[in-house]
PDB file of all heavy atoms in Angstrom:
ATOM      1  N   ALA A  63      67.419 -23.151  36.678  1.00 95.00           N
ATOM      2  CA  ALA A  63      66.566 -24.314  37.117  1.00 95.00           C
ATOM      3  C   ALA A  63      66.269 -24.196  38.573  1.00 95.00           C
ATOM      4  O   ALA A  63      67.051 -23.545  39.344  1.00 95.00           O
ATOM      5  CB  ALA A  63      67.257 -25.614  36.806  1.00 95.00           C
ATOM      6  N   ALA A  64      65.149 -24.828  39.032  1.00 95.00           N
ATOM      7  CA  ALA A  64      64.767 -24.837  40.411  1.00 95.00           C
ATOM      8  C   ALA A  64      64.171 -26.133  40.668  1.00 95.00           C
ATOM      9  O   ALA A  64      63.445 -26.771  39.750  1.00 95.00           O
ATOM     10  CB  ALA A  64      63.873 -23.661  40.781  1.00 95.00           C
ATOM     11  N   GLU A  65      64.185 -26.584  41.915  1.00 94.00           N
ATOM     12  CA  GLU A  65      63.403 -27.789  42.372  1.00 94.00           C
ATOM     13  C   GLU A  65      62.399 -27.319  43.396  1.00 94.00           C
ATOM     14  O   GLU A  65      62.736 -26.596  44.358  1.00 94.00           O
ATOM     15  CB  GLU A  65      64.394 -28.763  42.999  1.00 94.00           C
ATOM     16  CG  GLU A  65      63.770 -30.042  43.474  1.00 94.00           C
ATOM     17  CD  GLU A  65      63.392 -30.952  42.437  1.00 94.00           C
ATOM     18  OE1 GLU A  65      63.905 -30.842  41.267  1.00 94.00           O
ATOM     19  OE2 GLU A  65      62.537 -31.871  42.667  1.00 94.00           O
ATOM     20  N   VAL A  66      61.126 -27.653  43.100  1.00 95.00           N
ATOM     21  CA  VAL A  66      59.995 -27.191  43.980  1.00 95.00           C
ATOM     22  C   VAL A  66      59.463 -28.423  44.623  1.00 95.00           C
ATOM     23  O   VAL A  66      59.142 -29.441  43.948  1.00 95.00           O
ATOM     24  CB  VAL A  66      58.934 -26.550  43.025  1.00 95.00           C
ATOM     25  CG1 VAL A  66      57.718 -26.113  44.000  1.00 95.00           C
ATOM     26  CG2 VAL A  66      59.537 -25.338  42.311  1.00 95.00           C
ATOM     27  N   ALA A  79      57.318 -33.315  44.200  1.00 93.00           N
ATOM     28  CA  ALA A  79      58.493 -32.407  43.879  1.00 93.00           C
ATOM     29  C   ALA A  79      58.562 -32.384  42.413  1.00 93.00           C
ATOM     30  O   ALA A  79      58.443 -33.397  41.712  1.00 93.00           O
ATOM     31  CB  ALA A  79      59.778 -32.943  44.507  1.00 93.00           C
ATOM     32  N   TRP A  80      58.761 -31.142  41.897  1.00 94.00           N
ATOM     33  CA  TRP A  80      58.824 -30.970  40.431  1.00 94.00           C
ATOM     34  C   TRP A  80      59.964 -29.986  40.122  1.00 94.00           C
ATOM     35  O   TRP A  80      60.302 -29.144  40.898  1.00 94.00           O
ATOM     36  CB  TRP A  80      57.503 -30.518  39.846  1.00 94.00           C
ATOM     37  CG  TRP A  80      56.797 -29.399  40.565  1.00 94.00           C
ATOM     38  CD1 TRP A  80      56.059 -29.539  41.638  1.00 94.00           C
ATOM     39  CD2 TRP A  80      56.751 -28.008  40.194  1.00 94.00           C
ATOM     40  NE1 TRP A  80      55.530 -28.261  42.005  1.00 94.00           N
ATOM     41  CE2 TRP A  80      55.984 -27.312  41.098  1.00 94.00           C
ATOM     42  CE3 TRP A  80      57.387 -27.312  39.126  1.00 94.00           C
ATOM     43  CZ2 TRP A  80      55.702 -26.047  41.055  1.00 94.00           C
ATOM     44  CZ3 TRP A  80      57.104 -25.948  39.110  1.00 94.00           C
ATOM     45  CH2 TRP A  80      56.300 -25.271  40.050  1.00 94.00           C
ATOM     46  N   SER A  81      60.468 -30.056  38.863  1.00 94.00           N
ATOM     47  CA  SER A  81      61.494 -29.261  38.397  1.00 94.00           C
ATOM     48  C   SER A  81      60.829 -28.014  37.613  1.00 94.00           C
ATOM     49  O   SER A  81      59.768 -28.213  37.033  1.00 94.00           O
ATOM     50  CB  SER A  81      62.396 -29.985  37.370  1.00 94.00           C
ATOM     51  OG  SER A  81      63.024 -31.085  38.013  1.00 94.00           O
ATOM     52  N   ALA A  82      61.525 -26.965  37.747  1.00 95.00           N
ATOM     53  CA  ALA A  82      61.021 -25.726  37.172  1.00 95.00           C
ATOM     54  C   ALA A  82      62.068 -24.969  36.474  1.00 95.00           C
ATOM     55  O   ALA A  82      63.259 -25.083  36.773  1.00 95.00           O
ATOM     56  CB  ALA A  82      60.338 -24.866  38.267  1.00 95.00           C
ATOM     57  N   ARG A  83      61.606 -24.141  35.557  1.00 96.00           N
ATOM     58  CA  ARG A  83      62.471 -23.144  34.876  1.00 96.00           C
ATOM     59  C   ARG A  83      62.007 -21.819  35.405  1.00 96.00           C
ATOM     60  O   ARG A  83      60.864 -21.452  35.401  1.00 96.00           O
ATOM     61  CB  ARG A  83      62.310 -23.236  33.319  1.00 96.00           C
ATOM     62  CG  ARG A  83      63.154 -22.259  32.587  1.00 96.00           C
ATOM     63  CD  ARG A  83      62.969 -22.466  31.101  1.00 96.00           C
ATOM     64  NE  ARG A  83      61.663 -22.099  30.591  1.00 96.00           N
ATOM     65  CZ  ARG A  83      61.365 -20.916  30.101  1.00 96.00           C
ATOM     66  NH1 ARG A  83      62.275 -19.999  30.068  1.00 96.00           N
ATOM     67  NH2 ARG A  83      60.194 -20.653  29.686  1.00 96.00           N
ATOM     68  N   LEU A 127      57.909 -19.727  38.194  1.00 97.00           N
ATOM     69  CA  LEU A 127      58.505 -20.986  38.227  1.00 97.00           C
ATOM     70  C   LEU A 127      57.642 -21.932  37.365  1.00 97.00           C
ATOM     71  O   LEU A 127      56.559 -22.373  37.810  1.00 97.00           O
ATOM     72  CB  LEU A 127      58.624 -21.530  39.631  1.00 97.00           C
ATOM     73  CG  LEU A 127      59.429 -20.743  40.628  1.00 97.00           C
ATOM     74  CD1 LEU A 127      59.435 -21.366  41.973  1.00 97.00           C
ATOM     75  CD2 LEU A 127      60.849 -20.537  40.110  1.00 97.00           C
ATOM     76  N   GLU A 128      58.040 -22.094  36.079  1.00 96.00           N
ATOM     77  CA  GLU A 128      57.275 -22.880  35.139  1.00 96.00           C
ATOM     78  C   GLU A 128      57.709 -24.339  35.181  1.00 96.00           C
ATOM     79  O   GLU A 128      58.838 -24.609  34.996  1.00 96.00           O
ATOM     80  CB  GLU A 128      57.549 -22.294  33.752  1.00 96.00           C
ATOM     81  CG  GLU A 128      57.081 -20.893  33.647  1.00 96.00           C
ATOM     82  CD  GLU A 128      57.431 -20.220  32.328  1.00 96.00           C
ATOM     83  OE1 GLU A 128      58.288 -20.759  31.524  1.00 96.00           O
ATOM     84  OE2 GLU A 128      56.914 -19.113  32.123  1.00 96.00           O
ATOM     85  N   PRO A 129      56.729 -25.281  35.431  1.00 95.00           N
ATOM     86  CA  PRO A 129      57.093 -26.693  35.452  1.00 95.00           C
ATOM     87  C   PRO A 129      57.670 -27.142  34.157  1.00 95.00           C
ATOM     88  O   PRO A 129      57.186 -26.776  33.078  1.00 95.00           O
ATOM     89  CB  PRO A 129      55.666 -27.405  35.716  1.00 95.00           C
ATOM     90  CG  PRO A 129      54.832 -26.295  36.278  1.00 95.00           C
ATOM     91  CD  PRO A 129      55.352 -24.973  35.679  1.00 95.00           C
ATOM     92  N   THR A 130      58.705 -27.982  34.233  1.00 93.00           N
ATOM     93  CA  THR A 130      59.346 -28.552  33.042  1.00 93.00           C
ATOM     94  C   THR A 130      58.745 -29.906  32.669  1.00 93.00           C
ATOM     95  O   THR A 130      59.055 -30.442  31.560  1.00 93.00           O
ATOM     96  CB  THR A 130      60.834 -28.699  33.245  1.00 93.00           C
ATOM     97  OG1 THR A 130      61.078 -29.654  34.324  1.00 93.00           O
ATOM     98  CG2 THR A 130      61.531 -27.348  33.492  1.00 93.00           C
ATOM     99  N   GLY A 131      57.867 -30.412  33.518  1.00 84.00           N
ATOM    100  CA  GLY A 131      57.296 -31.729  33.253  1.00 84.00           C
ATOM    101  C   GLY A 131      57.925 -32.924  34.077  1.00 84.00           C
ATOM    102  O   GLY A 131      57.365 -33.911  34.189  1.00 84.00           O
ATOM    103  N   ALA A 132      59.131 -32.617  34.583  1.00 81.00           N
ATOM    104  CA  ALA A 132      59.782 -33.630  35.337  1.00 81.00           C
ATOM    105  C   ALA A 132      59.397 -33.594  36.812  1.00 81.00           C
ATOM    106  O   ALA A 132      59.423 -32.547  37.439  1.00 81.00           O
ATOM    107  CB  ALA A 132      61.277 -33.470  35.229  1.00 81.00           C
ATOM    108  N   THR A 133      58.982 -34.747  37.300  1.00 87.00           N
ATOM    109  CA  THR A 133      58.701 -34.882  38.697  1.00 87.00           C
ATOM    110  C   THR A 133      59.742 -35.771  39.370  1.00 87.00           C
ATOM    111  O   THR A 133      60.295 -36.708  38.691  1.00 87.00           O
ATOM    112  CB  THR A 133      57.306 -35.407  39.027  1.00 87.00           C
ATOM    113  OG1 THR A 133      57.183 -36.679  38.387  1.00 87.00           O
ATOM    114  CG2 THR A 133      56.265 -34.437  38.498  1.00 87.00           C
ATOM    115  N   THR A 134      59.990 -35.620  40.664  1.00 84.00           N
ATOM    116  CA  THR A 134      60.935 -36.401  41.399  1.00 84.00           C
ATOM    117  C   THR A 134      60.216 -37.488  42.162  1.00 84.00           C
ATOM    118  O   THR A 134      59.192 -37.191  42.850  1.00 84.00           O
ATOM    119  CB  THR A 134      61.759 -35.486  42.344  1.00 84.00           C
ATOM    120  OG1 THR A 134      62.260 -34.387  41.604  1.00 84.00           O
ATOM    121  CG2 THR A 134      62.896 -36.219  42.989  1.00 84.00           C
TER     122      THR A 134
END
Side-chain angles (χ1 to χ4, degrees):
E65 181 73 21
V66 180
W80 48 276
S81 298
R83 182 174 68 91
L127 300 178
E128 299 174 346
T130 61
T133 58
T134 306

